[in-house]
Each structure stands twice: as structure tokens, then as C-alpha cells.
């Protein structure tokens, strides 16, 4: 049967208006399909999106957990409970990270010093999720710093600290050992030159005070790498702690980068008597605890060590990361989790050589204060080490 000329093949003669309307809809759908084929490639999606299986500390063995996240599984579980109220996701979406995932992600970054991409591969989450988890956990730990890092000033706490330090080498009335370390960071956008230290890389000069058991009592992470240790001390809250109402009776011990104060005893630069040599030996043995503390801190949290590369954050964010790691350090001690550094990759040499010799004492102290500090130091030499 031949069709009349001019009549399209897809034309169908219907007997009512309803069939005509259905034909128009069919033709419109066909036009849309043909338009999509001309301008857009065909994409095939699975009927249900597939997500990678995420991993938290609960999926790791005990040994791998300590190796990758630097804490035992029991300690991490307790940490999750401590932070749960602040880290609980507000979204009910299935893609929201659990508290365990957030804590695992942040601890892996702190502990290995790897970049965010590598941390995401370990936990099977995106780099954006890694960044958000690290920032959130860091901020929560920072807000809880006062509960973990504090310089106890009660008479009983002072007596206990002095007794524990005296057991080391017989140095009397020591309330803490003070030391500094440099944490490398990328060149800041604002005033990058003030962050360049004597070795030529950008850093924060972090000052730490610890007790005889390597617990961190005080940390100052807000000064640029070019700032001298003695200047950091003078602009810190430590002088007020010892001067104001004499709340703390005793002194700190530090290395030659610190100037002599009535409350800070450095080594004698040029000892002239046997008693002064003994003083220097006892002082060095006592202050060595802060050097071990810094080494333990950087061994446990490799993000703070330059061997893992500079932190790719602003100075303000790096300072918060330092505080967060110090909180975790004290938390680990509180949990009784010991960390061995024997099997770790060696750290870069500690940066005490970065410091210039201390400023002349009379540049920082008035004559009366300097005389009082020297009198205290001489009294310690004569009464404790002149044997």
C-alpha cells in the first residue's frame, strides 16, 4: 500500500483528541532524546552509588594502630569519648564522618606527618574530608588545653615537683625545665622574613616547660622563628607566675640561650671553681628532661619534625596544631601509654644550635635584679655543690 506524498511516516490517524495528545507527548520526548544524543555524551550510572569502605582505628591491629596513630586502641577509645560531645556529626547523612573516623584521621596526620592526601588514602576518605576532620579535632583539642596543660601552683604541687627534680641530680627547688624547639612551616603570606630562623627556614619558635616526668606544664607557640628564647621568656606569662605574690617558690632550669633571672638558672658560662663545675653538671642533668620531652613529642607526632616536611598551614593554624599535640602528649602520659623512639626514623638534629648566645644579662635586667639573681645562683653553688 502506497502512502500519499507529503504525509510523514510517523503520522497516525486517530479517532479522538486523547490519542492526538499522547502522540504529541511521544514526539516531544523523542525530540528531547535526539537533542541529548547530539550535544551530550551518554553516561551510564550504576543503579546505586558505591562508597569505599572507610577505616578507623577499630579496624587496625594493635601494632599498626600504635605505628600509624601513635596511641593504643584503648587510649584512642577513651579520647573519642572525651571528644564525642564536640565532634558528634550534626548531619544524619550516611556520608557524615563518625567521631572515631575524625579522631583516627587527625591522629594519623599528627603521628605520621604525611600530607592530607596520604592520610585520606589510609582512611579511605576524600582530601576535603581529611582537611575538615584535622581542623575540627585540632580546634576541639585546643579548647581543652587548659585541662591538660597547666602549671600547678599549690604548695603541695610545688613540693612534689621540687622533690622529683632533686632526685635527678640534687639541684634544689626546681619547678620546671625550660627549652625550645623550632616547628617548620611554609612561608607565610604576611611578613615571611620574621619567620626565618638562623638556619634559613621558616618556623615557629616553640617554648616548653615540663616536669621531671616529661609532663608539659607550659607551652608558648605564638612566636616567629627569628625570635630569641630570652625575648620569648620576657614576653610570656612565666615572669608573672614567679613574681606576682610569689605564687611559685623556686626556679626553672634552662640552657645557655636563657639569661640569668631570679627564677631561671642557666649554666655558668665560665666556671672558675670545682663547685661551679659540679653546679653545671647537675644543672645539665636536670634540664636534660626537657630535651627528652621535646624529642618524645616530635617522635610521637612527626608532623612537628622537619624530617616530615614543613607544615602547609598559616602560623596561627600551626600554633594550634602544636598545642593540640602537646595536649595529646599529656593525655598519653595520663593513659599510661609509653612510646618508644628506638625504632623510629631518626629526627633531624635538634635546633638548639639555632640559638645565639643569651643576651648580656644587663640588657634584660636592671642592676638590682641582676645582683639578686647572681646572689641566688652563688648561694646554690655554695650551699648545694661546694663539697
Amino acid at each position: 500500500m502506497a502512502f500519499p506524498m507529503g504525509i510523514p511516516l510517523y503520522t497516525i490517524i486517530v479517532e479522538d483528541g486523547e490519542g492526538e495528545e499522547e502522540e504529541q507527548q511521544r514526539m516531544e520526548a523523542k525530540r528531547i532524546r535526539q537533542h541529548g544524543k547530539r550535544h551530550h555524551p551518554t553516561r551510564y550510572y550504576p543503579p546505586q552509588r558505591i562508597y569505599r569502605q572507610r577505616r578507623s582505628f577499630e579496624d587496625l591491629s594493635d601494632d599498626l594502630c600504635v605505628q600509624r596513630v601513635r596511641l593504643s586502641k584503648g587510649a584512642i577509645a577513651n579520647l573519642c569519648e572525651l571528644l564525642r560531645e564536640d565532634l558528634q556529626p550534626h548531619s544524619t547523612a550516611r556520608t557524615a564522618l563518625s567521631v572515631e573516623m575524625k579522631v583516627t584521621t587527625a591522629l594519623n596526620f599528627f603521628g605520621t606527618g604525611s600530607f592530607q592526601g596520604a592520610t585520606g588514602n589510609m582512611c579511605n576518605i576524600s582530601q576535603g574530608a581529611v582537611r575538615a576532620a584535622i581542623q575540627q579535632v585540632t580546634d576541639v583539642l585546643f579548647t581543652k588545653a587548659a585541662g591538660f596543660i597547666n602549671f600547678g601552683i599549690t604548695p603541695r604541687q610545688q613540693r612534689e615537683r621540687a622533690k622529683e627534680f632533686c632526685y635527678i641530680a640534687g639541684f634544689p627547688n626546681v619547678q620546671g625545665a625550660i627549652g625550645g624547639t623550632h616547628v617548620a612551616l611554609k612561608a607565610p603570606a604576611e611578613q615571611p622574613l620574621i619567620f626565618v630562623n638562623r638556619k634559613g627556614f621558616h618556623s615557629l619558635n616553640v617554648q616548653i616547660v615540663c616536669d621531671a616526668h616529661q609532663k608539659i606544664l607550659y607551652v608558648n607557640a605564638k612566636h616567629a622563628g627569628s625570635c630569641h628564647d630570652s625575648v620569648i621568656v620576657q614576653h610570656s606569662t612565666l615572669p608573672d607566675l614567679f613574681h606576682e605574690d610569689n605564687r611559685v617558690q623556686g626556679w626553672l632550669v634552662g640552657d645557655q640561650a636563657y639569661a640569668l633571672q631570679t627564677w631561671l638558672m642557666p649554666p655558668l658560662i665560665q666556671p672558675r671553681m670545682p663547685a661551679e663545675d659540679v653546679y653545671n653538671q647537675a644543672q645539665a642533668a636536670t634540664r636534660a628532661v626537657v630535651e627528652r620531652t621535646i624529642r618524645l613529642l616530635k617522635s610521637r607526632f612527626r608532623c612537628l619534625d622537619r624530617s616530615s616536611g614543613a607544615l602547609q598551614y598559616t602560623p596561627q593554624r600551626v600554633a594550634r596544631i602544636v598545642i593540640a599535640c602537646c595536649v595529646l602528649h599529656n593525655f598519653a602520659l595520663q593513659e599510661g601509654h609509653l612510646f618508644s623512639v628506638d625504632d623510629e626514623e631518626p629526627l633531624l638534629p635538634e635546633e638548639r644550635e639555632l640559638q645565639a648566645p643569651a643576651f648580656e644579662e644587663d640588657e634584660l635586667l636592671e642592676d638590682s635584679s641582676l645582683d639578686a639573681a647572681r646572689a641566688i645562683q652563688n648561694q646554690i653553688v655554695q650551699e648545694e655543690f661546694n663539697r
Side-chain angles (χ1 to χ4, degrees):
M1 176 180 179
F3 291 96
M5 295 296 293
I7 300 178
L9 295 180
Y10 53 77
T11 299
I12 301 176
I13 299 176
V14 294
E15 297 182 352
D16 53 25
E18 182 178 351
E20 183 177 354
E21 182 179 352
E22 290 178 355
E23 177 61 19
Q24 290 177 353
Q25 291 177 354
R26 188 180 70 82
M27 294 302 300
E28 179 66 18
K30 182 177 181 180
R31 185 187 67 78
I32 293 175
R33 288 196 303 271
Q34 290 176 343
H35 176 78
K37 289 180 180 179
R38 286 196 302 269
H39 298 282
H40 303 286
T42 302
R43 296 180 181 178
Y44 298 96
Y45 294 97
Q48 183 176 4
R49 189 171 180 181
I50 300 174
Y51 294 91
R52 292 181 296 175
Q53 183 65 38
R54 293 171 172 174
R55 300 171 62 195
S56 71
F57 74 95
E58 298 168 316
D59 303 311
L60 304 177
S61 65
D62 292 336
D63 293 339
L64 188 59
C65 190
V66 173
Q67 179 184 351
R68 297 302 298 271
V69 295
R70 295 325 207 217
L71 291 172
S72 65
K73 296 180 75 170
I76 301 174
N78 293 338
L79 180 64
C80 290
E81 291 304 316
L82 178 67
L83 307 181
R84 187 171 299 281
E85 183 177 352
D86 299 293
L87 294 179
Q88 192 69 34
H90 300 292
S91 172
T92 57
R94 61 178 299 209
T95 56
L97 295 183
S98 65
V99 174
E100 289 73 15
M101 277 299 309
K102 292 177 181 179
V103 171
T104 302
T105 301
L107 289 179
N108 178 248
F109 172 75
F110 296 151
T112 63
S114 60
F115 291 104
Q116 292 178 174
T119 300
N121 293 337
M122 181 263 183
C123 300
N124 286 339
I125 59 177
S126 68
Q127 185 172 347
V130 170
R131 181 179 181 276
I134 293 172
Q135 180 171 336
Q136 189 174 2
V137 173
T138 299
D139 289 342
V140 172
L141 290 171
F142 181 82
T143 61
K144 294 183 178 297
F148 288 90
I149 304 173
N150 52 75
F151 203 115
I153 61 174
T154 66
R156 180 177 178 181
Q157 289 173 319
Q158 295 185 48
R159 288 194 301 269
E160 289 296 323
R161 278 200 302 267
K163 182 170 65 174
E164 295 298 332
F165 273 114
C166 191
Y167 286 153
I168 296 176
F171 206 102
N173 296 332
V174 176
Q175 291 299 316
I178 185 170
T181 186
H182 286 258
V183 176
L185 73 163
K186 71 174 184 179
E190 299 181 1
Q191 297 182 305
L193 291 181
I194 67 172
F195 290 89
V196 179
N197 57 40
R198 288 168 59 88
K199 280 297 184 71
F201 64 90
H202 297 84
S203 68
L204 291 181
N205 190 355
V206 180
Q207 202 156 79
I208 288 175
V209 177
C210 71
D211 67 10
H213 298 293
Q214 301 183 335
K215 178 183 178 182
I216 296 175
L217 307 175
Y218 170 88
V219 57
N220 186 338
K222 61 183 180 181
H223 290 275
S226 63
C227 197
H228 195 280
D229 282 1
S230 288
V231 175
I232 295 176
V233 167
Q234 292 303 314
H235 290 84
S236 71
T237 58
L238 289 174
D240 293 337
L241 192 63
F242 285 84
H243 289 161
E244 185 179 347
D245 301 326
N246 292 323
R247 289 185 294 173
V248 178
Q249 302 290 330
W251 34 77
L252 304 176
V253 290
D255 62 18
Q256 67 274 9
Y258 298 97
L260 176 64
Q261 310 275 342
T262 56
W263 50 272
L264 201 163
M265 296 291 121
L268 291 161
I269 302 302
Q270 294 179 335
R272 292 189 282 267
M273 299 184 299
E276 293 179 344
D277 287 326
V278 178
Y279 165 93
N280 276 359
Q281 293 171 8
Q283 198 269 358
T286 305
R287 77 166 188 268
V289 65
V290 73
E291 297 170 3
R292 294 193 298 271
T293 300
I294 291 173
R295 177 171 176 78
L296 176 61
L297 179 69
K298 285 192 164 185
S299 296
R300 190 192 294 270
F301 304 112
R302 306 289 294 195
C303 68
L304 303 182
D305 186 61
R306 191 160 56 100
S307 62
S308 296
L311 287 168
Q312 303 297 302
Y313 299 96
T314 64
Q316 295 77 14
R317 177 55 52 181
V318 172
R320 287 197 165 219
I321 291 175
V322 171
I323 301 296
C325 290
C326 291
V327 170
L328 292 171
H329 170 87
N330 282 357
F331 173 80
L333 295 180
Q334 177 181 303
E335 291 289 313
H337 179 69
L338 302 178
F339 184 78
S340 174
V341 299
D342 296 336
D343 299 331
E344 290 295 310
E345 296 179 6
L347 299 174
L348 290 178
E350 196 43 65
E351 298 90 348
R352 300 314 295 157
E353 68 271 15
L354 297 178
Q355 291 297 330
F359 294 117
E360 292 295 330
E361 292 165 350
D362 55 6
E363 294 181 19
L364 296 173
L365 298 177
E366 298 178 357
D367 290 341
S368 59
S369 298
L370 180 58
D371 291 341
R374 286 173 175 168
I376 293 174
Q377 191 177 47
N378 290 334
Q379 183 179 3
I380 296 173
V381 171
Q382 296 301 323
E383 292 183 1
E384 303 295 335
F385 303 108
N386 189 15
R387 303 187 183 108

